[in-house]
Amino acid sequence: NAGVMQNPRHLVRRRGQEARLRCSPMKGHSHVYWYRQLPEEGLKFMVYLQKENIIDESGMPKERFSAEFPKEGPSILRIQQVVRGDSAAYFCASSPGTAKETQYFGPGTRLLVL
Amino acid sequence: QQPVQSPQAVILREGEDAVINCSSSKALYSVHWYRQKHGEAPVFLMILLKGGEQKGHEKISASFNEKKQQSSLYLTASQLSYSGTYFCGIPLGGGTSYGKLTFGQGTILTVHP
């Protein structure tokens, strides 16, 4: 059973470009969470999705950031017009069904904005 | 609302023990513990779902004191592989946002030979 998959693992963008981060949850998992980790800091919640629904996006910046989890395909975190402050590691986690269950993290995407 | 972890850092020699605490100012419904090595993803250690629960995984165990709104992670006879940053995560959102975890700032554990 493959774990949570994320791609790309590393992404370099220039200021003003768009970044697209993908996350495929573990097989059988229908809940996806995105977290951001700035260098030498802890994990900060961004958004919680189920298939075709955004459950909680309270941690997501109001502008430039969006997330989706379509019926088919991976979850995508999209950052438009990136700025240097967006440089961070973005982790996706998934859990099976109920929100009380363990969240398993993917390897992360390290975004560097030049 | 972020849980507070203590200590911020611990340095041990192999074989020594350590305790990491996680405290919340809000009521705790569950506590999730993770370990993260530098440049890697957080790895799940254990989850405690109710007050009074204790769990163990090899020589790593944890307790959950619901009344005190805190959890403690116990590492006994530490090994070099235990080095990393330990995070506790707690669900602060109610209702459908139960799965949203808020993490502590982390405790850096370094084990020397």
Side-chain angles (χ1 to χ4, degrees):
Chain A
N1 189 8
V4 179
M5 297 171 65
Q6 290 187 249
N7 67 82
R9 295 290 302 276
H10 299 273
L11 184 61
V12 179
R13 285 287 179 265
R14 296 193 180 278
R15 282 178 295 171
Q17 291 184 321
E18 179 180 288
R20 278 190 184 225
L21 289 61
R22 294 174 186 77
C23 168
S24 295
M26 287 178 70
K27 187 176 180 181
H29 287 194
S30 58
H31 296 228
V32 166
Y33 315 81
W34 286 93
Y35 295 87
R36 177 164 65 176
Q37 187 174 38
L38 295 170
E40 309 305 323
E41 292 190 12
L43 296 147
K44 304 292 185 189
F45 168 82
M46 297 183 73
V47 62
Y48 165 28
L49 310 103
Q50 294 180 27
K51 284 285 187 182
E52 300 184 278
N53 286 307
I54 296 175
I55 306 302
D56 184 338
E57 57 182 345
S58 59
M60 197 119 84
K62 294 286 186 281
E63 298 178 352
R64 302 189 297 108
F65 285 72
S66 62
E68 63 176 8
F69 188 14
K71 187 177 180 181
E72 302 289 340
S75 174
I76 295 175
L77 180 68
R78 182 182 177 203
I79 311 173
Q80 296 178 290
Q81 299 176 329
V82 295
V83 301
R84 287 207 175 126
D86 296 333
S87 296
Y90 292 83
F91 290 98
C92 164
S94 73
S95 68
T98 67
K100 285 188 178 183
E101 297 185 39
T102 300
Q103 295 182 23
Y104 294 93
F105 281 80
T109 294
R110 277 137 187 94
L111 173 65
L112 176 62
V113 180
L114 301 177
Chain B
Q1 293 190 350
Q2 179 184 27
V4 177
Q5 289 185 231
S6 63
Q8 291 188 336
V10 184
I11 299 175
L12 301 173
R13 293 210 175 272
E14 271 188 293
E16 292 182 337
D17 303 340
V19 180
I20 300 172
N21 298 305
C22 174
S23 298
S24 171
S25 58
K26 300 255 183 178
L28 288 181
Y29 302 102
S30 66
V31 181
H32 306 228
W33 284 98
Y34 290 84
R35 176 173 61 211
Q36 184 180 31
K37 295 186 181 286
H38 187 70
E40 298 181 10
V43 174
F44 170 75
L45 293 176
M46 63 190 76
I47 179 174
L48 298 105
L49 293 174
K50 58 183 179 181
E53 185 173 12
Q54 292 186 338
K55 277 193 175 178
H57 173 70
E58 296 182 341
K59 293 181 180 176
I60 300 175
S61 61
S63 63
F64 178 16
N65 190 322
E66 194 175 34
K67 289 182 180 178
K68 290 185 178 180
Q69 296 175 183
Q70 73 176 36
S71 175
S72 296
L73 187 71
Y74 306 93
L75 301 102
T76 57
S78 59
Q79 306 169 14
L80 293 176
S81 61
Y82 287 3
S83 293
T85 302
Y86 289 77
F87 292 101
C88 66
I90 60 177
L92 286 182
T96 56
S97 292
Y98 195 90
K100 164 188 170 183
L101 291 180
T102 300
F103 286 91
Q105 80 281 16
T107 295
I108 301 171
L109 181 77
T110 306
V111 181
H112 291 295

